[in-house]
Amino acid sequence: MFRRQWALAVMIMVFSQTAPAATCEVDEYVTRAIGIEEPWLENAAYLFSQTANQAGGAWVLAPEMDLRLSDRVGLEIDPPAYVMNYPVGRGPAAFGPAGLGLKVPVLQRCNQLGRGRATIVTAEVEGQFWPAPQRNAIDGAGSSITAQVEWAQLWWPWFNQGELGYTQRVGTGVTSGGFVNTSLGRALDATTAIQVEMELDDQLIRGDEKRGLEGSVMPQVAYRPGPQWLLAIGEEFAVRENDWHPQISTMLMAEREF
């Protein structure tokens, strides 16, 4: 599987020299989904919150930063998320893995942006490293390398975005496997948008030690209180193969462009 990661890394270096120089400024029209990496390059900071709505869950706070190094190369920085298991303050808590990703647009068509039409496709390779694993507080995490393709399609007021890729574990704690995450959204006006996000992966290890499927559906609404701010809230319904009782979480996202 490492050959796939290195192959995509080589492709990224090639495309960084050949990708279109003009950056697609679509974030005013395409509202980022809470759980999907945006394919456009920008300078922005995020704070995510996930609160489980059932006993035995956890509260997660996760920061993120995106940097546009040039019109051809972007950087994603994921400082460690902080996980607090219930009951908060008495349950085990720990910082998770840190991540770093390199993003390169491979297709940008924004010549009809004035008519509400645009297409972006971006390749990314991201590594995660967990120097001090604490399995009693965080399960299913560890060091890994992920190669993925991200996209956004605008047909104003409708838009679609998504990511498709493969995660290769490095060491223990993570299950290698593929994933796809996509959403369909609609802008209600210049400040408000709604969308439904859907995710599916094969990274579940069932009780019989066989690989299984897991996924989620998350309706969400986003609001722009100002030109540089974006606030979003979603309700995630996650299910696993052979267990169709959903695990429900409330997701929050705050974005600040700079």
Side-chain angles (χ1 to χ4, degrees), residues 73-89:
V73 179
L75 196 66
E76 176 190 346
I77 303 173
D78 296 326
Y82 191 58
V83 179
M84 295 163 281
N85 288 275
Y86 293 159
V88 173

Side-chain angles (χ1 to χ4, degrees), residues 80 95-99 128-134 142-143:
F95 285 99
Q128 287 199 331
F129 177 61
W130 202 7
Q134 294 179 261
S143 300

